[in-house]
Amino acid sequence: MKEVDVVIIGGGPAGLSAGLILGRARKKTLIIDEGQPRNAVTREAHAFLTRDGISPHEFRNIAKSQLHTYPSVSHLEDTIELIEGEDGQFLLETASGLKIATRKLLFAIGMKDRDLGIPGLAEVYGKSAFVCPYCDCWELRDQQLVVINRGAALMHFVPLLYGWTKQFVVCTNGPNELSEAEREELRAHNIPLFHSPIHSIQSNQGMVRHVKLEDGTEIPCTGIFFKAELVLGSELPVALGCRMLDTGIIEVDEFGKTSVPGVYAAGDATTHLHQSIVAAASGAVSAAAINGELNREEWHKNNV
């Protein structure tokens, strides 16, 4: 049985940042990660001060190297199969059969993409097709883009994208779910709207060339932004009883506390702002809260 103060489930920016805070706080911390990050398809990560343009793989390697400074932090590439117990006495079992006892838990599990069923999208995702304008629009500024989106989410996204380029069209990949007023708003800004389902995305070595619709229309472009359909990176928080929001993310307070005592969550699984720098900040805040809780418990124990 391995015994630690904190188990962090997930080794992305949130989990690694939390590990750094807890390591510096001298807490015995185990980071467990399956080694399949959502941004593995991404060549470069942007908008992280001092690390703009770094590859996600290099980012994780640097973070892990820096964590080696703190002997109380360890890593394990595995998945958690079972969580039992309660605050102060959680028992975990991994897929490899390792049993772990921990006082606190931090879920930094991120989100995973559902397959949208668009042929060719996987080949361009992370190379010339993206989901976050703050992460990737600078590189595609003033270029011809295709937006794959529909409904209310589309009308939130289009004015945002307009700050980087005015040369784009919208493909709703089926019924557009727009009101007449919203369609008129797009027409007023000279934004073409295509309703036909997408047949395929044609590309060369990951760089999109055009989007082909089922009605035969071919739309040339150099980049795509699409609305991803996401699910939690793990069902463990739900199985443990953590309250979820209607939007599919874990309900937490400002310090990352979930509805389950002793259980925290950070990163993309707790917010719709999916940026590495936001996730890292979230992990740091949650780790500081966990450390404070552990220290208070130790303080009161010694007063008894």
Side-chain angles (χ1 to χ4, degrees):
M1 174 80 70
K2 186 176 180 66
E3 296 183 3
V4 297
D5 295 313
V6 186
V7 166
I8 299 172
I9 303 175
L16 293 168
S17 178
L20 178 61
I21 296 295
L22 289 165
R24 291 180 60 80
R26 306 180 70 185
K27 295 300 181 289
K28 195 171 182 180
T29 304
L30 175 61
I31 301 173
I32 302 176
D33 183 61
E34 64 181 357
Q36 297 178 357
R38 181 185 174 209
N39 64 2
V41 300
T42 304
R43 291 176 173 174
E44 296 180 348
H46 291 283
F48 199 120
L49 194 62
T50 78
R51 289 292 180 264
D52 190 45
I54 194 172
S55 78
H57 178 71
E58 185 182 358
F59 180 94
R60 288 189 294 274
N61 283 344
I62 292 172
K64 289 177 181 178
S65 175
Q66 292 181 347
L67 285 175
H68 287 160
T69 303
Y70 306 98
S72 64
V73 181
S74 56
H75 294 80
L76 176 65
E77 188 166 311
D78 208 337
T79 56
I80 299 295
E81 296 279 303
L82 179 68
I83 301 177
E84 297 178 328
E86 58 187 10
D87 187 12
Q89 296 178 320
F90 292 107
L91 297 175
L92 289 65
E93 185 171 345
T94 72
S96 66
L98 178 66
K99 297 184 188 303
I100 306 160
T102 183
R103 296 166 63 187
K104 306 293 177 184
L105 280 172
L106 173 59
F107 286 114
I109 55 177
M111 305 294 282
K112 290 184 178 179
D113 292 285
R114 277 200 183 117
D115 185 359
L116 297 183
I118 300 176
L121 180 59
E123 286 77 6
V124 296
Y125 187 20
K127 302 177 182 70
S128 57
F130 309 99
V131 296
C132 172
Y134 291 103
C135 301
D136 297 292
C137 258
W138 168 259
E139 284 69 31
L140 294 170
R141 63 195 182 279
D142 296 325
Q143 296 186 37
Q144 182 66 51
L145 308 180
V146 167
V147 175
I148 304 174
N149 204 328
R150 68 175 74 179
L154 170 64
M155 297 313 294
H156 169 76
F157 185 80
V158 163
L160 184 63
L161 185 61
Y162 210 65
W164 281 279
T165 182
K166 297 172 177 56
Q167 302 178 63
F168 61 91
V169 306
V170 171
C171 293
T172 60
N173 195 27
N176 61 50
E177 302 174 6
L178 297 174
S179 67
E180 180 53 40
E182 289 169 332
R183 289 193 290 272
E184 179 55 38
E185 189 176 338
L186 293 177
R187 284 194 290 268
H189 288 84
N190 299 312
I191 299 173
L193 184 64
F194 295 90
H195 311 301
S196 177
I198 295 172
H199 174 274
S200 60
I201 295 171
Q202 305 297 316
S203 62
N204 181 25
Q205 295 184 335
M207 306 310 295
V208 61
R209 301 175 68 179
H210 64 262
V211 175
K212 183 177 181 180
L213 307 182
E214 287 189 357
D215 65 7
T217 302
E218 292 189 354
I219 306 168
C221 61
T222 55
I224 292 172
F225 279 89
F226 67 97
K227 183 178 183 298
E229 292 186 10
L230 302 173
V231 295
L232 278 182
S234 167
E235 289 300 314
L236 288 171
V238 177
L240 199 58
C242 296
R243 274 199 301 267
M244 306 294 295
L245 298 179
D246 292 340
T247 53
I249 59 177
I250 305 168
E251 181 182 82
V252 295
D253 70 5
E254 61 184 315
F255 301 108
K257 284 187 177 181
T258 73
S259 60
V260 178
V263 179
Y264 289 72
D268 288 0
T270 66
T271 178
H272 297 294
L273 298 173
H274 294 169
Q275 290 180 275
S276 294
I277 197 165
V278 174
S282 171
V285 169
S286 294
I290 291 171
N291 181 61
E293 192 170 314
L294 287 168
N295 286 356
R296 285 191 299 274
E297 291 171 359
E298 198 67 26
W299 177 269
H300 292 305
K301 184 194 301 183
N302 291 336
N303 284 346
V304 175

